[in-house]
């Protein structure tokens, strides 16, 4: 795969279906079976299916290698959270983290300078809990890091991004009573995780799929909210110790699955919207003032959705299915 030398996270098409199921993304269909034959796609060629791991996210470590986060099969549909390396020799599993009846990593990010972080979930028969692992700078071993206890009945982390100064931000959802999901954001400060979750209006539920943090672009979160059974896209920026929800163009029922804002005047967000019950790809662009919808060229006329993007040296790569 053509991966840049700078660390950057890419969504993996092979893990799209499993990721959507684990995150609770509105799907309106059954795609999970497709994830059993994992393949990494870079837009030019297909890398042969991977048996060591079903990847959910990847971060480039060098031009010729990358770290993958996801899950390894346990049988009977269960997985164990796993980290693997992809290089010229193939894919090698580096670490697994058994937790609960089923576990998996949903996001990974980092660099040689700041180390690497992976986040995800551990599921039992009655609840779900966050799962976090770390590889410190200059070390090769991955270790599990104590995850904060969600201020509710449970929670899961969907994404992690390393911001200015190596500060990790992670986003996902927490479960309140009675089983209501709400956005959950945590940041690493002073060696501990601090809750930075946004507040929603009464009666509104929601989940976060992505977080973007950079020195120039600031910290953004993305996902969706739901009220009376209708999903609305959600984008918000960290401002003065709180969150300011972005004003978006009229999109109807829609979901944002990934956001990247590398500078004050440029950013991208992708996801999907519903048109007469059919999923259509969604792309939004930030110009420093407002988010605007951009048309997405498609091969064919069937349903489609976008789940991930990467921005490197002004070039944007978008993944989906």
């Amino acid at each position: 795969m053509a991966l840049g030398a700078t660390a950057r996270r890419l969504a993996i098409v092979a893990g799209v279906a499993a990721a959507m199921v684990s995150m609770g993304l509105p799907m309106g269909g059954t795609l999970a079976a497709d994830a059993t034959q994992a393949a990494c796609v870079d837009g030019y060629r297909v890398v042969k299916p991977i048996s060591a791991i079903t990847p959910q996210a990847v971060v480039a470590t060098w031009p010729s290698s990358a770290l993958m986060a996801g899950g390894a099969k346990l049988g009977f549909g269960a997985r164990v959270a796993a980290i693997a390396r992809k290089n010229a020799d193939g894919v090698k599993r580096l670490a697994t983290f058994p937790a609960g009846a089923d576990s998996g990593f949903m996001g990974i990010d980092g660099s040689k300078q700041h180390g690497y972080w992976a986040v995800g979930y551990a599921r039992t028969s009655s609840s779900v809990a966050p799962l976090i692992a770390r590889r410190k700078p200059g070390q090769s071993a991955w270790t599990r890091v104590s995850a904060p206890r969600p201020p509710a009945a449970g929670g899961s982390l969907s994404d992690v991004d390393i911001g200015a100064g190596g500060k990790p931000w992670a986003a996902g959802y927490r479960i309140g009573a009675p089983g209501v999901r709400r956005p959950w954001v945590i940041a690493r400060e002073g060696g501990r995780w601090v809750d930075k979750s946004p507040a929603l209006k009464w009666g509104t539920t929601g989940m976060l799929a992505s977080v973007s943090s950079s020195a120039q672009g600031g910290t953004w979160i993305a996902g969706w909210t739901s009220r009376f059974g209708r999903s609305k896209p959600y984008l918000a920026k960290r401002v003065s110790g709180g969150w300011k929800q972005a004003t978006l163009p009229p999109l109807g029922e829609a979901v944002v699955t990934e956001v990247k804002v590398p500078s004050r005047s440029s950013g991208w967000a992708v996801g999907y919207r519903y048109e007469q019950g059919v999923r259509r790809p969604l792309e939004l662009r930030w110009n420093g003032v407002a988010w605007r919808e951009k048309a997405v060229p498609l091969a064919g006329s069937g349903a489609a959705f976008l789940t991930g993007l990467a921005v490197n040296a002004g070039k944007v790569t978008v993944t989906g299915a």
Side-chain angles (χ1 to χ4, degrees):
M1 296 178 65
L3 295 171
T6 56
R8 56 191 174 93
R9 195 182 66 81
L10 291 172
I12 296 298
V13 173
V16 166
M20 294 180 76
V21 171
S22 299
M23 290 162 54
L25 268 156
M27 291 184 64
T30 56
L31 287 153
D34 298 336
T36 58
Q37 294 297 322
C40 179
V41 179
D42 67 7
Y44 296 98
R45 59 192 175 89
V46 177
V47 180
K48 66 180 181 179
I50 300 167
S51 59
I53 187 174
T54 298
Q56 306 289 170
V58 60
V59 61
T61 54
W62 296 100
S64 59
S65 65
L67 289 171
M68 293 179 172
K73 294 180 182 179
L74 285 177
F76 301 102
R79 304 189 308 163
V80 59
I83 304 290
R85 180 191 293 117
K86 170 69 174 70
N87 56 24
D89 297 325
V91 177
K92 179 182 179 181
R93 194 184 305 165
L94 301 178
T96 56
F97 296 87
D102 179 68
S103 62
F105 288 121
M106 306 299 294
I108 186 172
D109 194 38
S111 66
K112 183 179 179 180
Q113 178 184 1
H114 298 300
Y116 297 87
W117 292 84
V119 301
Y121 67 91
R123 195 188 337 262
T124 67
S125 59
S126 59
S127 66
V128 61
L131 181 64
I132 303 175
R134 180 185 187 185
R135 197 184 89 178
K136 294 183 178 180
Q139 298 185 9
S140 59
W142 283 85
T143 57
R144 185 171 177 177
V145 177
S146 296
R149 183 183 180 89
S156 175
L157 295 171
S158 308
D159 192 23
V160 61
D161 201 41
I162 310 304
K167 180 179 179 177
W169 287 80
Y173 68 87
R174 53 185 175 176
I175 305 173
V180 176
R181 296 184 179 186
R182 299 189 182 280
W184 189 30
V185 181
I186 55 175
R188 190 79 168 175
E189 296 180 351
R192 65 188 184 94
W193 293 102
V194 180
D195 195 314
K196 306 283 187 178
S197 301
L200 298 181
K201 294 181 179 179
W202 185 88
T204 302
T205 63
M207 299 173 63
L208 297 175
S210 178
V211 57
S212 171
S213 186
S214 67
Q216 294 186 5
T219 300
W220 291 77
I221 50 177
W224 64 96
T225 60
S226 180
R227 187 175 176 86
F228 304 121
R230 292 182 59 83
S231 298
K232 291 187 175 181
Y234 180 84
L235 276 167
K237 184 181 182 181
R238 188 75 176 170
V239 177
S240 301
W243 296 99
K244 182 180 179 180
Q245 186 172 350
T247 300
L248 301 178
L251 298 171
E253 194 170 5
V255 167
V256 179
T257 57
E258 183 90 14
V259 62
K260 291 293 180 186
V261 185
S263 73
R264 293 182 179 87
S265 60
S266 63
W268 291 261
V270 297
Y272 58 92
R273 61 189 299 179
Y274 285 101
E275 294 181 1
Q276 298 180 343
V278 179
R279 288 191 307 274
R280 301 296 187 189
L282 171 66
E283 179 184 348
L284 299 168
R285 294 188 188 177
W286 171 251
N287 60 14
V289 179
W291 288 94
R292 305 297 186 193
E293 185 179 8
K294 298 294 182 180
V296 180
L298 282 178
S301 58
F305 53 87
L306 302 178
T307 57
L309 63 88
V311 181
N312 188 34
K315 296 182 179 180
V316 180
T317 301
V318 178
T319 60

